[in-house]
Amino acid sequence: MQNTSLVKRTFLGALALIVVLGLLIWGIGLETIQARKVDLLYLGQQHLILVFSSMALALLVGVPSGILLSRPAARRWAEYVMQIFNVGNTLPPLAVLALAMVFIGIGDKPAIIALFLASLLPIVRNTYSGLCGVSPSLIEAANGIGMTKWQRLRQVEIPNAWSVILSGIRIATAINVGTAPLAFLIGASSYGELIFPGIYLNDFPTLILGAAATALFALALDVALAGLGRALSPHTAK
């Protein structure tokens, strides 16, 4: 039953993606897409590098930080510490990019740092909230059968908080993909190389192509993460 539901959802998602692609090709024009095919592939690769590099850093920092803040001894300080991780969201994305450029220079490195900061808070907060929301009865049961703190975290707390943690990762990914085109302004290659020149030159097909490619990229990653969540938590599938 669960496998049938998963196949159905995958089919509907693929069908929706095909419909959207068809509408985009019809709206933008096949000639424009063919003329920009090399740019789309190259900029897609660069966009992917920016997103994956910054998200990898955000996960390496955000998940362990959320786990540490969820421990009973640290919970009283959690909201205060959370404001440090909020720095990438309180400032406008352009300001974060500008600050990164001032301290690091131009190119991919400052863009990755800025995207990392923008993606950090949802991961930390959802990891913290998910772990704090685990039922105390489950914690007591784990302690009752003699689990160590590490075993309890790995076998009880994280599996039960996984859906909340994954929601934070999906939100962070969407923010990251949507912010990455701005990296063009500090010399990093992304789909912004289609969007901003399209704005400057009033080249609307190129502008729409860059925006649509960014949106499809975000949609594809979100579908992939949703599939990963269902695969790792099959009991939540309906």
Side-chain angles (χ1 to χ4, degrees), residues 13-14 20 25 62 69 71 82 100 153 159 162 195 198 213 221 224 230:
V20 171
I25 292 171
L69 291 174
R71 300 305 88 188
M82 211 76 72
L153 175 67
W162 171 240
I195 295 172
L221 285 179
R230 285 193 293 269

Side-chain angles (χ1 to χ4, degrees), residues 64-158:
S65 297
I67 291 172
L68 288 174
L69 291 174
S70 71
R71 300 305 88 188
R75 288 184 186 182
R76 67 169 65 181
W77 310 107
E79 289 301 323
Y80 299 104
V81 176
M82 211 76 72
Q83 298 308 311
I84 298 174
F85 296 110
N86 196 27
V87 66
N89 298 90
T90 53
L91 296 174
L94 282 175
V96 178
L97 287 166
L99 288 172
M101 181 179 66
V102 168
F103 288 104
I104 304 173
I106 62 173
D108 288 352
K109 288 183 180 180
I112 289 171
I113 295 300
L115 293 173
F116 156 73
L117 292 174
S119 307
L120 197 53
L121 181 65
I123 296 173
V124 177
R125 183 167 290 282
N126 277 49
T127 301
Y128 169 78
S129 299
L131 292 171
C132 288
V134 174
S135 173
S137 61
L138 292 175
I139 304 296
E140 291 178 8
N143 291 334
I145 62 175
M147 282 188 174
T148 64
K149 292 181 178 179
W150 167 246
Q151 288 175 328
R152 187 185 70 200
L153 175 67
R154 184 170 57 88
Q155 299 178 25
V156 177
E157 294 184 63
I158 290 180

Side-chain angles (χ1 to χ4, degrees), residues 147-225:
M147 282 188 174
T148 64
K149 292 181 178 179
W150 167 246
Q151 288 175 328
R152 187 185 70 200
L153 175 67
R154 184 170 57 88
Q155 299 178 25
V156 177
E157 294 184 63
I158 290 180
N160 282 278
W162 171 240
S163 61
V164 180
I165 296 172
L166 183 64
S167 295
I169 295 172
R170 291 173 68 178
I171 293 169
T173 302
I175 293 171
N176 195 308
V177 175
T179 306
L182 296 175
F184 165 76
L185 300 175
I186 59 171
S189 295
S190 67
Y191 283 130
E193 289 192 27
L194 296 176
I195 295 172
F196 287 99
I199 295 172
Y200 301 148
L201 302 173
N202 288 325
D203 185 354
F204 291 107
T206 300
L207 165 62
I208 295 171
L209 185 61
T214 303
L216 286 172
F217 189 22
L219 177 62
L221 285 179
D222 189 67
V223 170
L225 287 172

Side-chain angles (χ1 to χ4, degrees), residues 19-58:
V19 170
V20 171
L21 283 172
L23 290 173
L24 285 173
I25 292 171
W26 176 77
I28 296 171
L30 191 59
E31 292 181 359
T32 301
I33 295 175
Q34 288 178 338
R36 292 285 188 172
K37 182 172 65 174
V38 174
D39 291 338
L40 281 172
L41 292 175
Y42 171 74
L43 295 176
Q45 180 183 359
Q46 296 303 114
H47 205 107
L48 193 70
I49 290 171
L50 292 179
V51 170
F52 275 33
S53 299
S54 55
M55 280 300 298
L57 287 174

